[in-house]
Amino acid sequence: MIYGRNPIMEALKSGREIEKLILIKNGEGSLKKIEGLARARKIPIQYVEKSALDRLAQEENTTVNHQGAAAVVSAYEYCGVEDLFCKARQKGEPPFFIILDGIEDPHNLGAILRSADGAGAHGVIIPKRRNAGLTETVAKSSAGAIEYVPVARVSNLAQTIDKLKEAGLWIGVCDMDGQTYWKADLTGPIAIVIGSEGKGVSRLVRERSDFVVSMPMEGRINSLNASNAAAILLYEINRQRKIKE
């Protein structure tokens, strides 16, 4: 967390990755400038009462005067999508990526990073908005995998998927009404999309996918936790790749 108007202003000007701004409602003066810079960079802004910022600063045990502003900054650096391709080339393997569409729970993101590392994925792609970022909570939940799995953050998932398809990747979506996952061919260059538990995969992303896979549910609950679904799919991709070798 960063508190105070000047530190946040400098962080914005320097281009530092900022997950979210927290500003008091109806702020004036330099808070308006901070708000303008954040909007220009499309950084999410949450407006709260002063008492909420007071509590947040107290929970963080900071002695800094928040001055009506706080920023949630990235704990780890992001990479570019090309860096994910570089990792695949270095390992001499077809690209194997995970695309996350609306995973807002940091514990889920951390668990997915852990599975990605274990299953041999070359990286994760997340959107800048409506998705958890690389916070300390994610780092702890990943059990260290965050240090080894590159994460690219993009402005537009749909456009990124188009570029991945142009590069030769097949795009698979985990969603309802698809082919049973173990019957699908998951070998070769691939990116698998995992959506949020509540809303699933967005319409534009699903429309751009090449195929949809589903998981048969035998019980009364008709969906899995996003990180559990991701783990099953990632290891199925790993299994099919090993067989093909």
Side-chain angles (χ1 to χ4, degrees), residues 6 39 47 55 80 100 110 119 123 129 132 136 152 199 224:
N6 286 336
R39 289 191 182 280
Y47 298 96
R55 287 195 300 273
L100 304 182
R129 300 180 66 83
E136 285 294 344
K199 298 180 181 178
L224 284 176

Side-chain angles (χ1 to χ4, degrees), residues 48-85:
V48 300
E49 300 293 343
K50 179 179 178 297
S51 58
L53 268 175
D54 291 340
R55 287 195 300 273
L56 182 61
Q58 189 174 31
E59 289 171 3
E60 293 284 325
N61 294 318
T62 180
T63 58
V64 177
N65 180 5
H66 59 68
Q67 298 176 311
V72 182
V73 298
S74 300
Y76 292 82
E77 290 187 8
Y78 297 96
C79 67
V81 174
E82 181 55 35
D83 294 309
L84 277 57
F85 281 99

Side-chain angles (χ1 to χ4, degrees), residues 57-150:
Q58 189 174 31
E59 289 171 3
E60 293 284 325
N61 294 318
T62 180
T63 58
V64 177
N65 180 5
H66 59 68
Q67 298 176 311
V72 182
V73 298
S74 300
Y76 292 82
E77 290 187 8
Y78 297 96
C79 67
V81 174
E82 181 55 35
D83 294 309
L84 277 57
F85 281 99
C86 286
K87 184 172 182 179
R89 286 194 293 268
Q90 289 169 1
K91 296 180 72 174
E93 299 170 344
F96 171 15
F97 305 154
I98 305 108
I99 299 173
L100 304 182
D101 185 10
I103 304 297
E104 298 182 349
D105 184 346
H107 296 93
N108 268 340
L109 176 54
I112 290 170
L113 291 178
R114 191 173 183 177
S115 296
D117 180 61
H122 302 120
V124 175
I125 299 171
I126 65 174
K128 287 186 176 180
R129 300 180 66 83
R130 292 182 292 277
N131 206 95
L134 299 184
T135 63
E136 285 294 344
T137 301
V138 172
K140 291 176 182 176
S141 299
S142 78
I146 196 171
E147 303 288 351
Y148 306 104
V149 180

Side-chain angles (χ1 to χ4, degrees), residues 203-239:
R203 177 182 59 82
L204 285 177
V205 168
R206 176 158 176 156
E207 287 176 353
R208 281 168 165 78
S209 67
D210 295 305
F211 62 93
V212 180
V213 292
S214 299
M215 297 180 184
M217 304 297 293
E218 305 294 342
R220 295 179 180 272
I221 307 301
N222 64 1
S223 66
L224 284 176
N225 173 282
S227 62
N228 292 338
I232 291 170
L233 272 178
L234 298 186
Y235 276 95
E236 176 61 17
I237 293 171
N238 177 279
R239 184 189 72 83

